[in-house]
Amino acid sequence: MPASIRPSLAGFFAGSNPAAPAHLGTRYDMAGNFLIEPGNTVVSHLVGGSPSEAVVLAVRDRMLAMPDADRLAFTPVTSLHMTLFQGIIEYRRRLPYWPRDVPLDTSIEAMTRLYLERLKGFEGLGAFQIKAIEVTPTGLTVAGATDEDVRTMRAWRDALAVPFGYRHPDHDTYVLHITFAYQIQRLADDRVAAWQDLFDDCLALFARQAPVIEIKAPAFCGFRDMKHFEELLILG
């Protein structure tokens, strides 16, 4: 691993992570085309037209302008969201990523209908705000804007585990994020400094112009691929 690389970014560069990206070939292909991978999830979309969305898009544009950005498969702007709770997905039909009381071969469509029924009357745990705490080659790492927001988001995740019927192994340590892109190919080690400088500049931009990223209320969504997340039920 190059001596100057930030530990949190190490996995994105070839010298520190020669393994193929986990979702390459199932979620997207080598040309950056997104493949069919249906599922459902609970997300908060960005508030369209908000000042903070403008900053998010500016950061995304700066990443796209990097000369080696072709190593990344960027999702559409309209898909940008923060995942609050992971639903089920086609290529993860196993415990504990699936409710124990539902057969593992149940169709995604049937699972979405089941969750819509289970989520009827679901009471939200209150509003929360988020902030960017890191920029990476695949997007933003985010967290609650205040300690109270952190507690509120944790309460949401704990409550949602009941109707979804599972707790993933990383339930308590899940890293909240807004995905911009997926890696097609690891970045070259000689590009570490350029990317880290960009990320530092972008994080400073958030601190100056968007200390809080405006997001919509959590919504249960269905999707066919990573390009669009259809809001089926607004929660809380």
Side-chain angles (χ1 to χ4, degrees):
M1 183 174 75
S4 60
I5 195 170
R6 199 172 301 150
S8 59
L9 297 177
F12 298 105
F13 291 87
S16 58
N17 186 10
H23 300 293
L24 182 61
T26 54
R27 184 163 296 178
Y28 57 99
D29 63 21
M30 285 294 295
N33 300 307
F34 286 93
L35 308 174
I36 301 301
E37 188 185 15
N40 52 57
T41 186
V42 175
V43 311
S44 289
H45 282 101
L46 300 183
V47 175
S50 64
S52 61
E53 184 199 41
V55 177
V56 170
L57 298 184
V59 168
R60 180 180 178 275
D61 286 344
R62 291 187 66 182
M63 290 173 58
L64 271 166
M66 293 291 273
D68 44 350
D70 58 352
R71 295 188 177 210
L72 303 171
F74 281 81
T75 58
V77 167
T78 53
S79 77
L80 294 177
H81 65 269
M82 183 206 73
T83 301
L84 180 63
F85 191 91
Q86 295 167 285
I88 53 89
I89 195 167
E90 181 60 44
Y91 297 115
R92 196 165 55 197
R93 290 176 173 271
R94 61 187 184 277
L95 301 176
Y97 307 99
W98 199 274
R100 288 185 175 276
D101 60 338
V102 183
L104 291 171
D105 60 354
T106 304
S107 72
I108 299 297
E109 293 80 5
M111 291 298 297
T112 297
R113 291 194 298 271
L114 172 66
Y115 283 144
L116 279 170
E117 188 63 31
R118 288 185 178 185
L119 289 166
K120 283 183 179 177
F122 179 86
E123 294 187 7
L125 279 296
F128 54 84
Q129 296 181 311
I130 62 170
K131 63 183 178 182
I133 60 173
E134 188 169 26
V135 186
T136 75
T138 54
L140 306 178
T141 302
V142 301
T146 66
D147 289 344
E148 182 60 29
D149 291 321
V150 171
R151 287 190 288 270
T152 300
M153 294 164 79
R154 186 178 299 124
W156 270 92
R157 287 179 52 76
D158 288 344
L160 285 166
V162 176
F164 278 88
Y166 52 72
R167 291 168 68 97
H168 288 189
D170 65 349
H171 178 87
D172 294 320
T173 59
Y174 182 71
V175 178
L176 298 163
H177 59 278
I178 296 174
T179 297
F180 289 176
Y182 293 90
Q183 282 201 299
I184 298 171
Q185 185 179 356
R186 303 297 181 200
L187 298 172
D189 293 337
D190 62 5
R191 295 287 296 156
V192 168
W195 280 96
Q196 289 190 156
D197 285 349
L198 172 67
F199 296 150
D200 289 343
D201 287 347
C202 290
L203 199 58
L205 181 65
F206 276 110
R208 293 194 308 272
Q209 297 187 13
V212 170
I213 298 174
E214 297 166 83
I215 53 175
K216 296 167 62 177
F220 176 64
C221 297
F223 58 87
R224 295 181 68 250
D225 53 34
M226 296 297 111
K227 295 188 296 184
H228 180 67
F229 295 78
E230 184 72 23
E231 294 187 352
L232 304 174
L233 181 67
I234 307 299
L235 304 177

